[in-house]
Amino acid sequence: MKKEHLIIIGNGMATGRLLSEITALDADRYEITVFDQEPHGSYNRIMLSPVLAEEMTAKEIVIHTADWFTNNNITLHTNDPIVSIDRENKTVTSQRGVTAHYDKLVMATGSEPALPAAARDCSLNGILSFRNMRDVQRIKSHANNSEHALVIGGGLLGLEAAYGLRKQGVHVTVLHRGEWLLNRQLDEAAGKLLQTELERRGINIVLGKEVTAFKGAQHISSVSLSDGSELNVQQVVIAIGIVPHTELAERAGLECQRGVHVNNCMQTSDENIYALGECCQFGDDTFGLVAPIWDQTRVLSNLLCDDGSHRFEVNPTATKLKISGIDLYSAGEYLDSDDTDAVIFNDRLRGTYKKLLFRNDQLVGTVLYGAVQDGNWYFDLIQNKQNTRAIRPHIIFGRAFSEKKSATGTDTERTTLAAAS
């Protein structure tokens, strides 16, 4: 019997994970073809920061080599993105003119960097993004001829880029329009602790401002800021967020908004086409973190190869920063609100900060800085929606202390800790 043909557009982390799960569940179910615009095999994009900082090599972050595709009888077209989808005839056509028929099609086209308004029509050399392996190579190349680099964006990716550039010996300024760093993952107290540590490492932080103009002849030489000041820079790295790739889906007539719309089975408005990863939108949510994308691949691989019983839902996520020697952890909610209670431990001398947010005796969020060993435990409590009333007096001091206290405490405390474990 002829196998169904599964075509996947894109070969990033989502595709790499999906292929691993499909081959583990039912390796012979489909004839599989992957089209990718990049020249590399799939690699772990979230580990680009350690590669930039020269703490890892590009080879170490590869997910699937060319040999892996060959050994698993998967056809891989590199440097050849799909440019059109014919839904009526169920075919795709690539940039090089390859036309292939599909029975099932997966769109994993990823995203592109969001750009500040001043950069959208700017063609100066030295203004770079930080999204793929080519970007890492370009950033490192420009760093060799740069005394001062500006990183626009004080989120996870921007700070990791700044750290990597500083490791290259470049003077670095981070420009962030928020009131504190990582303002979508940390509260102000933790953000200020992080800023102090980065400044101690020689990274200058400028908050509450934006770039209004990029200046130079052919190469970037300075930027104008919203307060009227200027910075002389020889390199700019933009890391202010992502924009899902939807152009291909839109041309094919699929329902799109900010991303390609999917249901809880990762199915688009066409029953034979699926989307996952940074290009898709579920409800009002788009996705840039790994955890929900892994959930998506589990749902889709189950649908394609098993009983199709899994359904996608948006769950709390945890955040870590990949900068050596800086320990921070954030999960769930991170800002106080009228219906939450906060328990805070702040040891300024040791640079340790903990905040737990509760709603109706359930832990709904945590922010940790400097002491993160209990992060996964707190995250489990959040995900399991565990009632924590019995251990509230000592939960801020961590799992080990709570377990010690509960060993001599009430049956309710022991039951709560057992459930949390």
Side-chain angles (χ1 to χ4, degrees):
M1 183 180 295
K2 186 178 179 181
K3 297 179 183 178
E4 287 188 297
H5 193 189
L6 173 64
I7 292 181
I8 305 176
I9 305 174
N11 191 29
M13 291 179 62
T15 295
R17 183 77 166 218
L18 180 66
L19 289 174
S20 294
E21 292 173 356
I22 287 175
T23 52
L25 286 169
D26 193 347
D28 296 323
R29 177 71 171 267
Y30 297 97
E31 176 190 352
I32 302 176
T33 301
V34 178
F35 287 86
D36 188 24
Q37 67 177 357
E38 290 198 56
H40 316 279
S42 58
Y43 56 88
N44 188 342
R45 196 180 301 273
I46 65 173
M47 299 309 292
L48 288 173
S49 302
V51 174
L52 177 60
E54 298 187 339
E55 296 170 349
M56 297 183 73
T57 65
K59 187 176 181 180
E60 289 178 293
I61 69 171
V62 171
I63 299 173
H64 295 315
T65 64
D67 287 342
W68 185 91
F69 282 88
T70 300
N71 294 337
N72 285 277
N73 298 312
I74 298 172
T75 302
L76 173 63
H77 296 272
T78 58
N79 274 323
D80 195 16
I82 294 298
V83 294
S84 66
I85 300 170
D86 183 341
R87 291 168 54 197
E88 183 177 352
N89 294 304
K90 297 177 71 174
T91 62
V92 295
T93 301
S94 75
Q95 192 173 71
R96 294 179 179 174
V98 177
T99 297
H101 177 272
Y102 66 84
D103 296 290
K104 302 291 184 184
L105 178 65
V106 176
M107 302 192 69
T109 51
S111 63
E112 62 185 19
L115 298 177
R120 290 170 195 160
D121 297 318
C122 182
S123 59
L124 293 174
N125 294 324
I127 301 176
L128 310 171
S129 299
F130 183 33
R131 291 294 301 159
N132 55 41
M133 193 71 73
R134 180 171 175 266
D135 292 334
V136 171
Q137 295 164 351
R138 294 173 67 202
I139 290 170
K140 292 176 74 171
S141 176
H142 279 275
N144 294 330
N145 301 305
S146 300
E147 293 184 6
H148 187 190
L150 175 67
V151 175
I152 303 176
L156 291 167
L157 199 61
L159 297 183
E160 290 166 7
Y163 171 69
L165 281 163
R166 191 73 188 103
K167 291 268 290 189
Q168 303 291 323
V170 181
H171 177 62
V172 180
T173 293
V174 173
L175 179 70
H176 185 55
R177 67 181 180 180
E179 296 180 31
W180 63 85
L181 298 174
L182 292 185
N183 57 297
R184 293 186 177 180
Q185 290 86 19
L186 303 180
D187 64 1
E188 184 174 6
K192 296 300 184 183
L193 286 170
L194 174 60
Q195 178 177 343
T196 298
E197 174 59 24
L198 291 173
E199 289 174 337
R200 188 188 68 79
R201 296 184 180 206
I203 298 174
N204 184 42
I205 308 295
V206 177
L207 299 172
K209 300 176 185 177
E210 300 181 70
V211 172
T212 57
F214 296 91
K215 299 181 178 180
Q218 293 181 324
H219 194 95
I220 183 71
S221 60
S222 68
V223 297
S224 298
L225 303 185
S226 52
D227 65 348
S229 62
E230 288 202 1
L231 289 176
N232 294 323
V233 296
Q234 294 78 49
Q235 181 178 8
V236 174
V237 177
I238 299 172
I240 60 172
I242 58 175
V243 178
H245 276 302
T246 61
E247 294 86 352
L248 182 62
E250 289 173 354
R251 291 200 301 270
L254 297 175
E255 184 180 341
C256 300
Q257 192 180 359
R258 286 184 298 134
V260 183
H261 272 288
V262 295
N263 61 19
N264 59 6
C265 295
M266 310 315 299
Q267 189 177 52
T268 70
S269 52
D270 184 314
E271 63 180 359
N272 295 304
I273 302 178
Y274 306 86
L276 77 168
E278 293 177 345
C279 72
C280 78
Q281 178 178 341
F282 176 72
D284 293 328
D285 294 298
T286 55
F287 307 92
L289 297 177
V290 168
I293 295 174
W294 280 184
D295 290 340
Q296 292 171 9
T297 62
R298 280 191 290 271
V299 169
L300 186 52
S301 61
N302 173 263
L303 180 68
L304 293 173
C305 298
D306 206 342
D307 60 7
S309 61
H310 294 187
R311 295 292 181 268
F312 177 72
E313 59 182 20
V314 178
N315 293 308
T317 57
T319 295
K320 297 178 181 179
L321 182 66
K322 294 181 293 299
I323 294 181
S324 297
I326 295 181
D327 295 321
L328 65 83
Y329 188 98
S330 172
E333 299 179 34
Y334 61 97
L335 295 177
D336 298 30
S337 62
D338 292 339
D339 64 342
T340 58
D341 299 317
V343 177
I344 295 173
F345 175 86
N346 193 357
D347 186 341
R348 292 185 176 85
L349 184 63
R350 293 179 173 83
T352 299
Y353 177 81
K354 296 182 179 182
K355 180 168 84 170
L356 303 179
L357 286 172
F358 297 88
R359 180 179 293 112
N360 300 327
D361 292 320
Q362 289 184 1
L363 183 64
V364 295
T366 181
V367 176
L368 308 175
Y369 186 92
V372 299
Q373 63 271 19
D374 291 303
N376 289 335
W377 181 57
Y378 290 138
F379 189 38
D380 287 342
L381 291 171
I382 295 169
Q383 288 185 304
N384 295 333
K385 299 181 179 179
Q386 181 69 43
N387 188 302
T388 60
R389 178 181 296 180
I391 58 173
R392 278 281 293 273
H394 34 263
I395 188 175
I396 191 69
F397 300 108
R399 182 174 186 173
F401 185 81
S402 295
E403 289 178 343
K404 182 179 179 181
K405 294 291 289 185
S406 68
T408 58
T410 66
D411 290 340
T412 301
E413 287 178 320
R414 286 192 287 272
T415 301
T416 300
L417 264 296
S421 301

